[in-house]
Amino acid sequence: MTAGYIVGSLVGSFAIAYLCDTFVSDKKAFGGSIPKTVSDKEWLKATEAKFQAWPRTAGPPVVMNPISRQNFIVKST
């Protein structure tokens, strides 16, 4: 019976957190709008091209945003 209360409380808290997040971020509860840099695909392509064109002078070649590429360089110790 205690497990039921714990699971129910967790599910309820996640539901409340989801509703609050949706209301604040998607419905723009505090005003504002989506920036052009987020919604414009041409801007994304131009920024990506600029990042890839930057010369690197130190270390091995890596991409500017490794999280989106998922190709981390792991050095052995």
Side-chain angles (χ1 to χ4, degrees):
M1 188 152 136
T2 304
Y5 288 130
I6 293 172
V7 171
S9 299
L10 285 173
V11 169
S13 64
F14 279 114
I16 291 172
Y18 174 77
L19 291 174
C20 290
D21 178 58
T22 302
F23 179 68
V24 170
S25 62
D26 295 341
K27 304 294 184 194
K28 302 293 183 205
F30 299 112
S33 62
I34 296 175
K36 183 181 177 190
T37 56
V38 174
S39 61
D40 188 11
K41 299 297 180 192
E42 290 180 19
W43 185 91
L44 177 65
K45 288 178 186 176
T47 304
E48 194 67 28
K50 183 181 87 169
F51 278 161
Q52 298 306 322
W54 281 358
R56 291 185 50 85
T57 57
V62 295
V63 294
M64 293 299 290
N65 190 357
I67 293 180
S68 69
R69 305 258 195 249
Q70 297 295 318
N71 59 347
F72 300 103
I73 296 175
V74 180
K75 295 180 180 179
S76 61
T77 55

